[in-house]
Amino acid sequence: MKGIILAGGHGTRLYPLTLAVSKQLLPVNDKPLIYYPLSALMLANITEILVISTPTDLPQLTRLLRDGSHLGLDISYAQQNEPVGLADAFIIGADHIGGDSAALVLGDNIFHGHSFYDILQQHTSDVDGCVLFGYPVSDPERYGVGVTDAEGRLVSIEEKPVNPRSNRAIIGLYLYDNDVVDIAKNLQPSARGELEITDVNRAYLERGKARLVDLGRGFAWLDAGTPESMLQASQYVQVLEQRQGVRIACVEEIALRMGYINAEACDRLGRELSASSYGRYVRSVAAEFSGASRN
């Protein structure tokens, strides 16, 4: 499976913060926002990742993530001149996807939960159609909402419904088989002139090949697209990290625990950041891993 992080757009809801810097580089507690969607792909055992962003923001993102080899990844980049809908990612990324299945994650979405790794491993191994993820919200009228039958198959998708039939918002992580490229290429633009991800999902729904996986209690999903939600996300991460003594979305630690890099490489990455508490944490993880390996 190939991964795509869609980190485009102009970040207008965060003005003036994003007039000079990419939204995905803004801090959520102690790390840049893009680390959170990147960590989701890494936990799904996806190592070939395409980052799509604007011509202005791509150099900054490239400076941060490089080619990914330091994390055992293969990260490439593609340009999106104007935001014309989420489904455009599959057209831009067609060569990257090739003949494989694809995972699309939005660059401003944050996911956290103890069972997240298991859920990802279960649903990325053999995608036939599309797999969407639903999260219960108190204001479903603001989101795309999924309604399922008893087996978890989608029976309808409502976009910002006035009278929602469900409280399960479809969040910014999508898994598709290889048909998604052709589906995206054949979409008709919406009234807003955009290639809508909802239309992609409805195409799978009409084929009877769309599933919605419930992410319920014990899971957190945050869309850090506004100043308020970004602050809430930072507070959430800060509280958990301080109380539990572990870091959420520490990409160096994930790379080590997933077997993408070894403890020596992890320690080297920590040394590069050793002036910060984040860097010292990375080094402590590498030391703990080395000790456990020797024992």
Side-chain angles (χ1 to χ4, degrees):
M1 176 172 279
K2 302 291 179 59
I4 298 176
I5 301 175
L6 185 55
H10 300 300
T12 53
R13 293 184 296 166
L14 285 161
Y15 277 179
L17 291 171
T18 48
L19 288 173
V21 64
S22 167
K23 171 173 63 175
Q24 282 76 25
L25 294 177
L26 293 176
V28 173
N29 195 34
D30 58 349
K31 59 193 78 70
L33 175 55
I34 199 169
Y35 273 26
Y36 296 86
L38 174 61
S39 69
L41 295 181
M42 293 173 68
L43 287 170
N45 208 31
I46 297 171
T47 58
E48 295 179 67
I49 298 167
L50 175 69
V51 177
I52 299 175
S53 192
T54 68
T56 302
D57 293 339
L58 274 176
Q60 299 172 334
L61 293 167
T62 304
R63 181 182 176 187
L64 174 69
L65 301 176
R66 295 172 272 177
D67 66 358
S69 59
H70 61 295
L71 297 171
L73 306 176
D74 179 1
I75 299 178
S76 54
Y77 301 86
Q79 180 173 301
Q80 185 184 48
N81 293 321
E82 291 296 332
V84 292
L86 304 187
D88 187 44
F90 302 111
I91 299 174
I92 295 173
D95 289 341
H96 169 71
I97 296 169
D100 291 324
S101 53
L104 172 67
V105 62
L106 304 188
D108 58 4
N109 275 219
I110 296 171
F111 317 91
H112 179 250
H114 292 299
S115 60
F116 194 38
Y117 169 82
D118 294 328
I119 291 170
L120 290 173
Q121 293 296 313
Q122 177 183 352
H123 294 288
T124 55
S125 58
D126 186 21
V127 177
D128 180 19
C130 81
V131 179
L132 310 176
F133 296 91
Y135 186 76
V137 295
S138 59
D139 49 355
E141 64 277 0
R142 294 181 52 220
Y143 302 96
V145 174
V147 179
T148 64
D149 61 17
E151 283 74 42
R153 288 189 296 268
L154 270 174
V155 295
S156 77
I157 300 172
E158 303 172 308
E159 189 65 30
K160 297 182 179 179
V162 176
N163 298 301
R165 296 170 54 197
S166 164
N167 70 338
R168 286 174 290 183
I170 296 173
I171 66 175
L173 175 62
Y174 314 87
L175 309 178
Y176 299 99
D177 63 19
N178 191 253
D179 289 347
V180 70
V181 174
D182 287 335
I183 289 173
K185 287 179 178 179
N186 288 291
L187 284 183
Q188 293 299 313
S190 67
R192 297 187 301 173
E194 297 187 355
L195 301 177
E196 304 283 359
I197 197 72
T198 298
D199 291 335
V200 172
N201 297 336
R202 285 198 178 111
Y204 281 102
L205 176 63
E206 291 169 2
R207 299 179 180 186
K209 287 192 170 186
R211 296 187 62 245
L212 186 69
V213 177
D214 254 329
L215 301 173
R217 292 186 177 183
F219 195 89
W221 166 65
L222 299 160
D223 177 357
T226 66
E228 295 80 12
S229 60
M230 185 162 278
L231 177 60
Q232 290 170 358
S234 289
Q235 291 171 333
Y236 172 84
V237 173
Q238 181 187 42
V239 168
L240 282 182
E241 291 188 345
Q242 285 183 344
R243 291 190 176 183
Q244 297 180 356
V246 298
R247 305 267 170 161
I248 298 171
C250 176
V251 293
E252 295 85 358
E253 179 179 10
I254 293 171
L256 175 61
R257 297 193 184 280
M258 293 293 294
Y260 302 154
I261 61 174
N262 59 27
E264 181 182 357
C266 185
D267 182 69
R268 186 164 56 248
L269 293 173
R271 287 201 305 270
E272 294 174 3
L273 308 169
S274 58
S276 68
S277 60
Y278 182 92
R280 292 191 291 274
Y281 174 80
V282 171
R283 295 201 70 187
S284 71
V285 169
E288 175 190 350
F289 198 88
S290 293
S293 298
R294 285 194 295 270
N295 295 333

